[in-house]
Amino acid sequence: MADRTKFVFLILILMMMRAQAGDKNPVYSPCSDAKVQKGDGFTFGVAFSSRDSFFFNQTQLSPCDIGLSLSQSNAQLAIFRPKIDELSLVTINSSSSTLSSAGGYMVAFAGRQYAARSIPVFVADNTHIITSFTLVLEFQKGTLQNLVWKKFGCGSCSSAGLVCLNNTDCAVQTSQCIGNPGGNITCDLGIQLAFSGTDKNDAVLNSWYEVANLRQYSLFGLYDNLRNSLTRQFNSLL
């Protein structure tokens, strides 16, 4: 059993080394500026708080801006480093009550001079949580210019436990989330990432067009199925 466990960990280490190969971007802080090319890693953050907390004098600021007092609130922060122009899925294992108590909204952000930030989008309150999002990172000559949340409507809300909010998002009733009595739906937050624009070598970033063409498929659903399969296989080794 010990040899099998070591083998599994070795595979994980090799996967991590492969993911880092070709990454020539030395900037790891989401509050610093970076100029990137295809194959580089790119660090950005997602802040969770109330909608109003992202504004100062009616102007939306980046969470990196000292004009905001997020550190003095119940705000939550997640940091990610996807590879430029690769379709990615990042997940956040957090309960709906945690996201709701943080303020229920999220903003994606990166950079200091350009201070790119998305608009605040609703995530969760006491009754609903939206678990699937698509975020496009828009670059110009390798510098992040904007982060855009893409909405695809409620065409996929037919699954049990899902409801349509504002004709734009499929949400889960929090009472149906695993962890609540009788809940049987995984309510982890999933964000599909894609890229558009050009890198620092003027190479075109195309992954957003792949998402647009394949938007009927959910990376989060594929990830959830894969995670369950790997979990079962790993448990069988122990």
Side-chain angles (χ1 to χ4, degrees):
M1 183 191 308
D3 290 338
R4 289 182 176 179
T5 303
K6 289 179 181 178
F7 180 69
V8 171
F9 283 127
L10 177 59
I11 291 177
L12 294 175
I13 291 172
L14 292 174
M15 291 173 63
M16 292 173 64
M17 293 174 62
R18 183 179 178 185
Q20 294 173 353
D23 183 358
K24 298 180 180 179
N25 175 20
V27 178
Y28 284 84
S29 168
C31 292
S32 297
D33 295 312
K35 204 172 187 69
V36 294
Q37 62 186 357
K38 285 188 176 184
D40 283 347
F42 181 79
T43 303
F44 75 98
V46 178
F48 297 87
S49 190
S50 65
R51 187 183 186 280
D52 290 344
S53 67
F54 295 110
F55 291 81
F56 181 75
N57 288 339
Q58 299 183 337
T59 299
Q60 185 186 347
L61 301 179
S62 166
C64 295
D65 197 305
I66 60 174
L68 296 182
S69 56
L70 295 180
S71 61
Q72 301 175 14
S73 66
N74 197 32
Q76 303 289 322
L77 177 66
I79 304 294
F80 304 103
R81 190 175 174 87
K83 260 192 173 182
I84 294 295
D85 210 29
E86 288 191 3
L87 289 178
S88 304
L89 173 73
V90 297
T91 61
I92 300 172
N93 299 323
S94 184
S95 68
S96 58
S97 60
T98 300
L99 298 177
S100 177
S101 62
Y105 282 77
M106 69 177 173
V107 165
F109 66 95
R112 180 168 297 278
Q113 179 180 354
Y114 292 94
R117 64 274 191 192
S118 72
I119 62 171
V121 291
F122 172 79
V123 181
D125 57 19
N126 293 329
T127 57
H128 297 95
I129 179 171
I130 300 172
T131 60
S132 181
F133 292 86
T134 298
L135 178 67
V136 180
L137 292 82
E138 299 179 347
F139 287 81
Q140 183 176 355
K141 293 186 179 297
T143 299
L144 182 67
Q145 302 292 314
N146 202 9
L147 300 108
V148 181
W149 299 107
K150 294 293 186 179
K151 305 286 188 178
F152 299 118
C154 293
S156 60
C157 296
S158 57
S159 299
L162 298 182
V163 296
C164 180
L165 293 182
N166 303 317
N167 294 318
T168 58
D169 295 289
C170 295
V172 179
Q173 297 178 4
T174 54
S175 61
Q176 300 295 317
C177 293
I178 293 175
N180 293 323
N184 59 358
I185 298 178
T186 300
C187 291
D188 294 342
L189 185 65
I191 304 175
Q192 297 177 161
L193 302 178
F195 300 81
S196 68
T198 56
D199 73 359
K200 68 179 184 180
N201 301 315
D202 279 333
V204 177
L205 307 179
N206 293 311
S207 57
W208 159 239
Y209 300 103
E210 297 176 26
V211 170
N213 291 332
L214 299 173
R215 67 186 188 186
Q216 69 267 35
Y217 303 106
S218 169
L219 290 181
F220 183 78
L222 294 175
Y223 161 81
D224 199 39
N225 292 336
L226 177 61
R227 178 184 59 180
N228 292 337
S229 175
L230 291 177
T231 299
R232 287 193 297 269
Q233 293 183 40
F234 182 76
N235 288 338
S236 69
L237 296 175
L238 302 180

